[in-house]
Amino acid sequence: MHFCGPDQLHGFEERLTTDIYPADYGWTPDWDRPHERPSWYHDTSSVVEAGPCVRSNQLDFDDEVAFAAERSLFGHIRSGDEHPFCYVVSFSHPHDPFTIPRKWWDLYRDEDIPMPAVGLDEDSLHPHERRLREVCAMNGAEITEDHVRAARRAYYGAISYVDDHTSRLIGLLRDTGRLDNTVVIVTSDHGEMLGERGAWYKMSFFEGAARVPLVVRAPAFFPPGRVPTAVSTMDLLPTLVGLARDGDPPGIVGPLDGRSLLPHLSGTPDHDEVVAEYLAEGAIAPIVMIRRGRHKFIHSPADPDQLFDLASDPHERVNLAGDPPSVGLAGRFRREVAAHWDLTTLDREVRQSQQRRIAVCGALRTGTQAPWDFTPAYDASRRYIRNHGDLADLEEMARYPPVKRRAPFA
């Protein structure tokens, strides 16, 4: 979940696993050294080494997450606690490195894997695309069609792997009679370019990197349907608050960047807009984006603007920012950016934050280290069978569904 810093609960009552990623500030971009590639960042090995595997670091983590969530959810249900629950079950798949066991790799065939719709055109690369190739050490790397196909096939397999874990949790809710009264949300933190435009991973506002799934299953509240309008994961907080408060206005202090999706879920969407910013690896200044209706506008003080008509140009091949017929639309977007963001101040604050994090990371590595990594704790005296209770009572409590106790023999 990328819980960086000393606060490893972030408002949750309990965490069941540690994080797959470091909790310290070691993974901090440095805009003041734009030509120094971070040694810890993505490179092409995930692509050129793609293929089936028996085991991986990510599989270790995700299998633990699935097991911990399943056991905890069963425990909550068996406890008789009728308070509402909220579980965040965070998998690292699908993600690079692009490798997955044969069980899921063999669900697909090479001939069924679609190749990128748009290939690499080095002459027309946007400056940010060039920087991303540098930060991911792609320049000079030989990536063949076989590499691309294998990486995409492994990614498809990873999606099926997550589907299987999700299916088990859904089945648990169904088997215990909780499914139809539970809101299930499936989403992600970023997309994956998968070789489109010759790019991999994330770090941009192109559709492959920025689009994520958003599936909401809530039969007790909403009929099934598809919503074509663009929304943001920032909208999930006010949406969840609205669901918890039965549709009442969110009881949150201060303004929110997101807007409730309850109208969308009810079949009457009231906005088709996403406002976003990118301040991480590969950038040398803030990059901001406005997606409204069919248009997407991307602006950074360091780069030429980009404007795409996603309805007529879904692969974002034609930049309309300098196109005479679109000059008025681009101008309106630029004025909106100027009104919405103070990019000079944002740039300064990002650089200050980066330098503070880098300084803290270096200082905490000096002398005796006190890591922030979360270590799950549990009371072994309350697990399985112990002498603090009657064996029959323990077995009865652990069994689901419960069995009516028979009268003892006379």
Side-chain angles (χ1 to χ4, degrees):
M1 286 186 278
H2 276 313
F3 281 180
C4 295
D7 177 7
Q8 286 294 302
L9 286 181
H10 280 23
F12 289 95
E13 295 180 29
E14 182 182 7
R15 284 187 65 182
L16 307 178
T17 70
T18 191
D19 204 327
I20 191 171
Y21 297 118
D24 62 21
Y25 291 154
W27 289 10
T28 300
D30 189 349
W31 287 2
D32 291 340
R33 295 174 173 82
H35 299 296
E36 294 184 13
R37 195 187 94 79
S39 61
W40 42 265
Y41 208 55
H42 302 264
D43 60 27
T44 57
S45 63
S46 290
V47 182
V48 299
E49 298 172 5
C53 72
V54 174
R55 203 66 192 164
S56 72
N57 191 35
Q58 284 74 17
L59 288 164
D60 287 345
F61 178 78
D62 283 0
D63 284 356
E64 179 185 359
V65 166
F67 172 76
E70 187 175 21
R71 180 164 69 176
S72 176
L73 190 51
F74 261 130
H76 176 81
I77 292 169
R78 289 183 297 192
S79 72
D81 186 349
E82 294 300 325
H83 284 92
F85 59 80
C86 176
Y87 277 75
V88 175
V89 185
S90 183
F91 298 107
S92 65
H93 287 88
H95 201 279
D96 68 289
F98 303 120
T99 183
I100 202 71
R102 282 278 179 188
K103 175 181 177 179
W104 293 279
W105 172 269
D106 287 343
L107 292 175
Y108 304 91
R109 303 180 306 170
D110 279 353
E111 55 265 37
D112 296 329
I113 303 300
M115 297 297 281
V118 180
L120 172 64
D121 181 0
E122 295 198 44
D123 292 336
S124 64
L125 287 175
H126 185 266
H128 184 59
E129 290 181 277
R130 295 185 185 280
R131 290 193 298 270
L132 294 183
R133 293 186 64 80
E134 290 181 8
V135 79
C136 293
M138 293 181 185
N139 292 329
E142 183 182 0
I143 298 178
T144 67
E145 284 195 2
D146 288 342
H147 292 146
V148 174
R149 185 177 291 105
R152 291 168 77 97
R153 180 174 173 178
Y155 195 83
Y156 280 33
I159 294 173
S160 295
Y161 165 81
V162 173
D163 281 349
D164 285 353
H165 276 318
T166 304
S167 178
R168 288 189 61 176
L169 293 171
I170 295 292
L172 187 161
L173 293 169
R174 181 183 294 111
D175 292 344
T176 57
R178 264 71 175 180
L179 181 58
D180 287 343
N181 196 36
T182 301
V183 177
V184 179
I185 299 175
V186 179
T187 190
S188 183
D189 59 335
H190 60 80
E192 167 58 57
M193 290 300 289
L194 280 179
E196 296 289 343
R197 312 175 71 97
W200 296 87
Y201 316 130
K202 43 186 178 178
M203 306 165 288
S204 77
F205 285 124
F206 290 121
E207 289 291 275
R211 287 190 64 157
V212 299
L214 179 58
V215 181
V216 181
R217 186 191 187 278
F221 297 97
F222 312 108
R226 297 173 68 91
V227 182
T229 55
V231 298
S232 169
T233 52
M234 298 294 287
D235 298 333
L236 288 175
L237 172 59
T239 303
L240 289 170
V241 172
L243 286 168
R245 293 170 59 90
D246 234 359
D248 289 342
I252 299 176
V253 177
L256 291 177
D257 289 326
R259 288 178 280 183
S260 173
L261 298 179
L262 294 184
H264 293 70
L265 296 171
S266 302
T268 56
D270 61 353
H271 67 272
D272 181 6
E273 179 185 69
V274 175
V275 176
E277 55 193 38
Y278 182 76
L279 310 169
E281 294 85 5
I284 57 174
I287 304 173
V288 299
M289 183 271 285
I290 300 173
R291 163 75 183 270
R292 183 177 297 119
R294 61 190 295 164
H295 292 109
K296 178 195 293 183
F297 182 73
I298 305 168
H299 173 81
S300 174
D303 299 323
D305 289 336
Q306 294 174 289
L307 174 63
F308 300 108
D309 184 336
L310 298 176
S312 62
D313 179 27
H315 298 300
E316 300 167 289
R317 305 181 75 168
V318 181
N319 182 7
L320 301 174
D323 190 42
S326 302
V327 65
L329 177 62
R332 289 192 294 273
F333 273 122
R334 290 188 188 100
R335 290 191 291 274
E336 188 172 349
V337 166
H340 191 86
W341 281 280
D342 180 349
L343 294 178
T344 300
T345 299
L346 181 59
D347 184 289
R348 181 176 65 253
E349 291 177 348
V350 167
R351 294 174 189 272
Q352 289 176 345
S353 176
Q354 289 174 348
Q355 295 311 310
R356 290 189 184 112
R357 287 167 177 257
I358 292 170
V360 168
C361 183
L364 293 182
R365 288 178 175 176
T366 302
T368 302
Q369 295 188 37
W372 289 335
D373 304 280
F374 182 77
T375 302
Y378 66 88
D379 183 357
S381 72
R382 313 300 297 183
R383 290 283 176 97
Y384 307 118
I385 297 170
R386 297 294 186 268
N387 285 322
H388 59 73
D390 181 85
L391 176 60
D393 290 339
L394 288 170
E395 297 287 23
E396 179 188 19
M397 182 180 67
R399 181 165 174 169
Y400 193 91
V403 177
K404 185 176 180 180
R405 296 286 296 274
R406 293 177 294 179
F409 290 108

PDB file of all heavy atoms in Angstrom, residues 288-311:
ATOM      1  N   VAL A 288       0.472  18.391 -15.121  1.00  0.00           N
ATOM      2  CA  VAL A 288      -0.932  18.370 -14.717  1.00  0.00           C
ATOM      3  C   VAL A 288      -1.790  17.972 -15.907  1.00  0.00           C
ATOM      4  O   VAL A 288      -1.404  18.134 -17.071  1.00  0.00           O
ATOM      5  CB  VAL A 288      -1.378  19.731 -14.143  1.00  0.00           C
ATOM      6  CG1 VAL A 288      -0.555  20.078 -12.904  1.00  0.00           C
ATOM      7  CG2 VAL A 288      -1.263  20.829 -15.189  1.00  0.00           C
ATOM      8  N   MET A 289      -2.972  17.454 -15.595  1.00  0.00           N
ATOM      9  CA  MET A 289      -3.855  16.940 -16.635  1.00  0.00           C
ATOM     10  C   MET A 289      -5.299  17.257 -16.312  1.00  0.00           C
ATOM     11  O   MET A 289      -5.698  17.178 -15.150  1.00  0.00           O
ATOM     12  CB  MET A 289      -3.667  15.432 -16.779  1.00  0.00           C
ATOM     13  CG  MET A 289      -4.485  14.790 -17.896  1.00  0.00           C
ATOM     14  SD  MET A 289      -6.144  14.246 -17.349  1.00  0.00           S
ATOM     15  CE  MET A 289      -5.736  12.784 -16.424  1.00  0.00           C
ATOM     16  N   ILE A 290      -6.047  17.622 -17.339  1.00  0.00           N
ATOM     17  CA  ILE A 290      -7.499  17.768 -17.227  1.00  0.00           C
ATOM     18  C   ILE A 290      -8.123  16.862 -18.284  1.00  0.00           C
ATOM     19  O   ILE A 290      -7.840  17.008 -19.475  1.00  0.00           O
ATOM     20  CB  ILE A 290      -7.959  19.219 -17.437  1.00  0.00           C
ATOM     21  CG1 ILE A 290      -7.336  20.140 -16.393  1.00  0.00           C
ATOM     22  CG2 ILE A 290      -9.492  19.306 -17.376  1.00  0.00           C
ATOM     23  CD1 ILE A 290      -7.620  21.621 -16.632  1.00  0.00           C
ATOM     24  N   ARG A 291      -8.917  15.932 -17.852  1.00  0.00           N
ATOM     25  CA  ARG A 291      -9.663  15.061 -18.770  1.00  0.00           C
ATOM     26  C   ARG A 291     -11.141  15.411 -18.612  1.00  0.00           C
ATOM     27  O   ARG A 291     -11.720  15.236 -17.551  1.00  0.00           O
ATOM     28  CB  ARG A 291      -9.408  13.595 -18.416  1.00  0.00           C
ATOM     29  CG  ARG A 291     -10.410  12.587 -18.998  1.00  0.00           C
ATOM     30  CD  ARG A 291     -10.200  12.340 -20.465  1.00  0.00           C
ATOM     31  NE  ARG A 291     -11.227  11.440 -20.983  1.00  0.00           N
ATOM     32  CZ  ARG A 291     -11.146  10.107 -21.032  1.00  0.00           C
ATOM     33  NH1 ARG A 291     -10.080   9.502 -20.544  1.00  0.00           N
ATOM     34  NH2 ARG A 291     -12.112   9.389 -21.555  1.00  0.00           N
ATOM     35  N   ARG A 292     -11.744  15.923 -19.674  1.00  0.00           N
ATOM     36  CA  ARG A 292     -13.154  16.313 -19.616  1.00  0.00           C
ATOM     37  C   ARG A 292     -13.826  15.886 -20.911  1.00  0.00           C
ATOM     38  O   ARG A 292     -13.411  16.312 -22.002  1.00  0.00           O
ATOM     39  CB  ARG A 292     -13.301  17.818 -19.404  1.00  0.00           C
ATOM     40  CG  ARG A 292     -14.756  18.281 -19.259  1.00  0.00           C
ATOM     41  CD  ARG A 292     -14.848  19.769 -18.965  1.00  0.00           C
ATOM     42  NE  ARG A 292     -14.229  20.115 -17.699  1.00  0.00           N
ATOM     43  CZ  ARG A 292     -13.198  20.943 -17.572  1.00  0.00           C
ATOM     44  NH1 ARG A 292     -12.668  21.509 -18.654  1.00  0.00           N
ATOM     45  NH2 ARG A 292     -12.693  21.208 -16.392  1.00  0.00           N
ATOM     46  N   GLY A 293     -14.849  15.047 -20.775  1.00  0.00           N
ATOM     47  CA  GLY A 293     -15.531  14.584 -21.970  1.00  0.00           C
ATOM     48  C   GLY A 293     -14.566  13.844 -22.883  1.00  0.00           C
ATOM     49  O   GLY A 293     -13.841  12.943 -22.467  1.00  0.00           O
ATOM     50  N   ARG A 294     -14.508  14.252 -24.122  1.00  0.00           N
ATOM     51  CA  ARG A 294     -13.674  13.553 -25.105  1.00  0.00           C
ATOM     52  C   ARG A 294     -12.248  14.071 -25.155  1.00  0.00           C
ATOM     53  O   ARG A 294     -11.403  13.513 -25.848  1.00  0.00           O
ATOM     54  CB  ARG A 294     -14.312  13.670 -26.485  1.00  0.00           C
ATOM     55  CG  ARG A 294     -14.455  15.109 -26.995  1.00  0.00           C
ATOM     56  CD  ARG A 294     -15.316  15.168 -28.240  1.00  0.00           C
ATOM     57  NE  ARG A 294     -14.707  14.484 -29.385  1.00  0.00           N
ATOM     58  CZ  ARG A 294     -15.362  14.135 -30.480  1.00  0.00           C
ATOM     59  NH1 ARG A 294     -16.671  14.360 -30.559  1.00  0.00           N
ATOM     60  NH2 ARG A 294     -14.739  13.542 -31.473  1.00  0.00           N
ATOM     61  N   HIS A 295     -11.964  15.149 -24.411  1.00  0.00           N
ATOM     62  CA  HIS A 295     -10.656  15.787 -24.534  1.00  0.00           C
ATOM     63  C   HIS A 295      -9.783  15.566 -23.304  1.00  0.00           C
ATOM     64  O   HIS A 295     -10.272  15.500 -22.171  1.00  0.00           O
ATOM     65  CB  HIS A 295     -10.829  17.301 -24.775  1.00  0.00           C
ATOM     66  CG  HIS A 295     -11.419  17.615 -26.109  1.00  0.00           C
ATOM     67  ND1 HIS A 295     -12.714  18.097 -26.254  1.00  0.00           N
ATOM     68  CD2 HIS A 295     -10.913  17.514 -27.356  1.00  0.00           C
ATOM     69  CE1 HIS A 295     -12.962  18.282 -27.537  1.00  0.00           C
ATOM     70  NE2 HIS A 295     -11.894  17.936 -28.218  1.00  0.00           N
ATOM     71  N   LYS A 296      -8.499  15.501 -23.550  1.00  0.00           N
ATOM     72  CA  LYS A 296      -7.495  15.421 -22.493  1.00  0.00           C
ATOM     73  C   LYS A 296      -6.422  16.461 -22.773  1.00  0.00           C
ATOM     74  O   LYS A 296      -5.856  16.512 -23.868  1.00  0.00           O
ATOM     75  CB  LYS A 296      -6.869  14.031 -22.436  1.00  0.00           C
ATOM     76  CG  LYS A 296      -5.762  13.895 -21.378  1.00  0.00           C
ATOM     77  CD  LYS A 296      -4.938  12.641 -21.595  1.00  0.00           C
ATOM     78  CE  LYS A 296      -5.758  11.403 -21.351  1.00  0.00           C
ATOM     79  NZ  LYS A 296      -4.925  10.173 -21.502  1.00  0.00           N
ATOM     80  N   PHE A 297      -6.124  17.289 -21.767  1.00  0.00           N
ATOM     81  CA  PHE A 297      -5.115  18.334 -21.887  1.00  0.00           C
ATOM     82  C   PHE A 297      -4.036  18.092 -20.853  1.00  0.00           C
ATOM     83  O   PHE A 297      -4.325  17.916 -19.658  1.00  0.00           O
ATOM     84  CB  PHE A 297      -5.747  19.712 -21.686  1.00  0.00           C
ATOM     85  CG  PHE A 297      -4.788  20.857 -21.850  1.00  0.00           C
ATOM     86  CD1 PHE A 297      -4.331  21.227 -23.104  1.00  0.00           C
ATOM     87  CD2 PHE A 297      -4.340  21.574 -20.746  1.00  0.00           C
ATOM     88  CE1 PHE A 297      -3.445  22.280 -23.272  1.00  0.00           C
ATOM     89  CE2 PHE A 297      -3.460  22.634 -20.891  1.00  0.00           C
ATOM     90  CZ  PHE A 297      -3.013  22.990 -22.159  1.00  0.00           C
ATOM     91  N   ILE A 298      -2.771  18.071 -21.293  1.00  0.00           N
ATOM     92  CA  ILE A 298      -1.631  17.810 -20.416  1.00  0.00           C
ATOM     93  C   ILE A 298      -0.678  18.998 -20.506  1.00  0.00           C
ATOM     94  O   ILE A 298      -0.306  19.428 -21.600  1.00  0.00           O
ATOM     95  CB  ILE A 298      -0.903  16.521 -20.818  1.00  0.00           C
ATOM     96  CG1 ILE A 298      -1.876  15.336 -20.848  1.00  0.00           C
ATOM     97  CG2 ILE A 298       0.254  16.223 -19.860  1.00  0.00           C
ATOM     98  CD1 ILE A 298      -1.305  14.088 -21.501  1.00  0.00           C
ATOM     99  N   HIS A 299      -0.293  19.531 -19.351  1.00  0.00           N
ATOM    100  CA  HIS A 299       0.539  20.738 -19.328  1.00  0.00           C
ATOM    101  C   HIS A 299       1.654  20.584 -18.296  1.00  0.00           C
ATOM    102  O   HIS A 299       1.461  20.043 -17.202  1.00  0.00           O
ATOM    103  CB  HIS A 299      -0.308  21.956 -18.959  1.00  0.00           C
ATOM    104  CG  HIS A 299       0.508  23.203 -18.743  1.00  0.00           C
ATOM    105  ND1 HIS A 299       0.957  23.993 -19.782  1.00  0.00           N
ATOM    106  CD2 HIS A 299       0.969  23.780 -17.599  1.00  0.00           C
ATOM    107  CE1 HIS A 299       1.644  25.018 -19.296  1.00  0.00           C
ATOM    108  NE2 HIS A 299       1.673  24.909 -17.971  1.00  0.00           N
ATOM    109  N   SER A 300       2.838  21.062 -18.662  1.00  0.00           N
ATOM    110  CA  SER A 300       3.958  21.198 -17.735  1.00  0.00           C
ATOM    111  C   SER A 300       4.764  22.409 -18.157  1.00  0.00           C
ATOM    112  O   SER A 300       4.966  22.629 -19.361  1.00  0.00           O
ATOM    113  CB  SER A 300       4.839  19.950 -17.758  1.00  0.00           C
ATOM    114  OG  SER A 300       6.005  20.161 -16.963  1.00  0.00           O
ATOM    115  N   PRO A 301       5.235  23.218 -17.200  1.00  0.00           N
ATOM    116  CA  PRO A 301       6.072  24.361 -17.566  1.00  0.00           C
ATOM    117  C   PRO A 301       7.332  23.960 -18.331  1.00  0.00           C
ATOM    118  O   PRO A 301       7.912  24.790 -19.050  1.00  0.00           O
ATOM    119  CB  PRO A 301       6.427  24.982 -16.205  1.00  0.00           C
ATOM    120  CG  PRO A 301       5.348  24.537 -15.282  1.00  0.00           C
ATOM    121  CD  PRO A 301       4.962  23.166 -15.743  1.00  0.00           C
ATOM    122  N   ALA A 302       7.753  22.696 -18.191  1.00  0.00           N
ATOM    123  CA  ALA A 302       9.006  22.259 -18.815  1.00  0.00           C
ATOM    124  C   ALA A 302       8.816  21.703 -20.222  1.00  0.00           C
ATOM    125  O   ALA A 302       9.808  21.488 -20.931  1.00  0.00           O
ATOM    126  CB  ALA A 302       9.665  21.192 -17.941  1.00  0.00           C
ATOM    127  N   ASP A 303       7.566  21.467 -20.635  1.00  0.00           N
ATOM    128  CA  ASP A 303       7.332  20.725 -21.875  1.00  0.00           C
ATOM    129  C   ASP A 303       6.261  21.385 -22.737  1.00  0.00           C
ATOM    130  O   ASP A 303       5.442  22.164 -22.237  1.00  0.00           O
ATOM    131  CB  ASP A 303       6.869  19.295 -21.558  1.00  0.00           C
ATOM    132  CG  ASP A 303       7.889  18.508 -20.777  1.00  0.00           C
ATOM    133  OD1 ASP A 303       9.091  18.669 -21.038  1.00  0.00           O
ATOM    134  OD2 ASP A 303       7.472  17.717 -19.900  1.00  0.00           O
ATOM    135  N   PRO A 304       6.210  21.041 -24.028  1.00  0.00           N
ATOM    136  CA  PRO A 304       5.102  21.481 -24.874  1.00  0.00           C
ATOM    137  C   PRO A 304       3.793  20.857 -24.404  1.00  0.00           C
ATOM    138  O   PRO A 304       3.761  19.725 -23.906  1.00  0.00           O
ATOM    139  CB  PRO A 304       5.487  20.959 -26.268  1.00  0.00           C
ATOM    140  CG  PRO A 304       6.950  20.657 -26.197  1.00  0.00           C
ATOM    141  CD  PRO A 304       7.227  20.281 -24.790  1.00  0.00           C
ATOM    142  N   ASP A 305       2.704  21.602 -24.566  1.00  0.00           N
ATOM    143  CA  ASP A 305       1.393  21.092 -24.188  1.00  0.00           C
ATOM    144  C   ASP A 305       0.977  19.938 -25.089  1.00  0.00           C
ATOM    145  O   ASP A 305       1.438  19.798 -26.230  1.00  0.00           O
ATOM    146  CB  ASP A 305       0.339  22.202 -24.281  1.00  0.00           C
ATOM    147  CG  ASP A 305       0.509  23.251 -23.189  1.00  0.00           C
ATOM    148  OD1 ASP A 305       1.100  22.913 -22.140  1.00  0.00           O
ATOM    149  OD2 ASP A 305       0.065  24.395 -23.393  1.00  0.00           O
ATOM    150  N   GLN A 306       0.058  19.129 -24.571  1.00  0.00           N
ATOM    151  CA  GLN A 306      -0.548  18.059 -25.346  1.00  0.00           C
ATOM    152  C   GLN A 306      -2.067  18.134 -25.211  1.00  0.00           C
ATOM    153  O   GLN A 306      -2.579  18.337 -24.100  1.00  0.00           O
ATOM    154  CB  GLN A 306      -0.050  16.690 -24.860  1.00  0.00           C
ATOM    155  CG  GLN A 306       1.431  16.435 -25.104  1.00  0.00           C
ATOM    156  CD  GLN A 306       1.903  15.148 -24.472  1.00  0.00           C
ATOM    157  OE1 GLN A 306       2.002  15.035 -23.257  1.00  0.00           O
ATOM    158  NE2 GLN A 306       2.197  14.164 -25.292  1.00  0.00           N
ATOM    159  N   LEU A 307      -2.747  17.977 -26.310  1.00  0.00           N
ATOM    160  CA  LEU A 307      -4.210  17.985 -26.336  1.00  0.00           C
ATOM    161  C   LEU A 307      -4.666  16.858 -27.258  1.00  0.00           C
ATOM    162  O   LEU A 307      -4.253  16.807 -28.424  1.00  0.00           O
ATOM    163  CB  LEU A 307      -4.746  19.330 -26.831  1.00  0.00           C
ATOM    164  CG  LEU A 307      -6.259  19.429 -27.055  1.00  0.00           C
ATOM    165  CD1 LEU A 307      -7.025  19.229 -25.743  1.00  0.00           C
ATOM    166  CD2 LEU A 307      -6.621  20.772 -27.692  1.00  0.00           C
ATOM    167  N   PHE A 308      -5.486  15.968 -26.740  1.00  0.00           N
ATOM    168  CA  PHE A 308      -5.951  14.823 -27.518  1.00  0.00           C
ATOM    169  C   PHE A 308      -7.472  14.765 -27.521  1.00  0.00           C
ATOM    170  O   PHE A 308      -8.115  15.076 -26.508  1.00  0.00           O
ATOM    171  CB  PHE A 308      -5.394  13.517 -26.942  1.00  0.00           C
ATOM    172  CG  PHE A 308      -3.893  13.441 -26.938  1.00  0.00           C
ATOM    173  CD1 PHE A 308      -3.181  13.534 -25.749  1.00  0.00           C
ATOM    174  CD2 PHE A 308      -3.186  13.283 -28.121  1.00  0.00           C
ATOM    175  CE1 PHE A 308      -1.799  13.459 -25.735  1.00  0.00           C
ATOM    176  CE2 PHE A 308      -1.805  13.212 -28.122  1.00  0.00           C
ATOM    177  CZ  PHE A 308      -1.106  13.306 -26.930  1.00  0.00           C
ATOM    178  N   ASP A 309      -8.018  14.367 -28.659  1.00  0.00           N
ATOM    179  CA  ASP A 309      -9.436  14.067 -28.791  1.00  0.00           C
ATOM    180  C   ASP A 309      -9.564  12.552 -28.723  1.00  0.00           C
ATOM    181  O   ASP A 309      -9.310  11.843 -29.694  1.00  0.00           O
ATOM    182  CB  ASP A 309      -9.980  14.596 -30.118  1.00  0.00           C
ATOM    183  CG  ASP A 309     -11.478  14.390 -30.262  1.00  0.00           C
ATOM    184  OD1 ASP A 309     -12.033  13.471 -29.604  1.00  0.00           O
ATOM    185  OD2 ASP A 309     -12.106  15.122 -31.047  1.00  0.00           O
ATOM    186  N   LEU A 310      -9.950  12.038 -27.562  1.00  0.00           N
ATOM    187  CA  LEU A 310      -9.942  10.597 -27.350  1.00  0.00           C
ATOM    188  C   LEU A 310     -11.064   9.885 -28.090  1.00  0.00           C
ATOM    189  O   LEU A 310     -10.997   8.665 -28.288  1.00  0.00           O
ATOM    190  CB  LEU A 310     -10.030  10.294 -25.847  1.00  0.00           C
ATOM    191  CG  LEU A 310      -8.861  10.837 -25.020  1.00  0.00           C
ATOM    192  CD1 LEU A 310      -9.089  10.577 -23.544  1.00  0.00           C
ATOM    193  CD2 LEU A 310      -7.552  10.218 -25.466  1.00  0.00           C
ATOM    194  N   ALA A 311     -12.083  10.628 -28.497  1.00  0.00           N
ATOM    195  CA  ALA A 311     -13.163  10.001 -29.255  1.00  0.00           C
ATOM    196  C   ALA A 311     -12.715   9.658 -30.669  1.00  0.00           C
ATOM    197  O   ALA A 311     -12.965   8.565 -31.175  1.00  0.00           O
ATOM    198  CB  ALA A 311     -14.386  10.913 -29.287  1.00  0.00           C
TER     199      ALA A 311
END
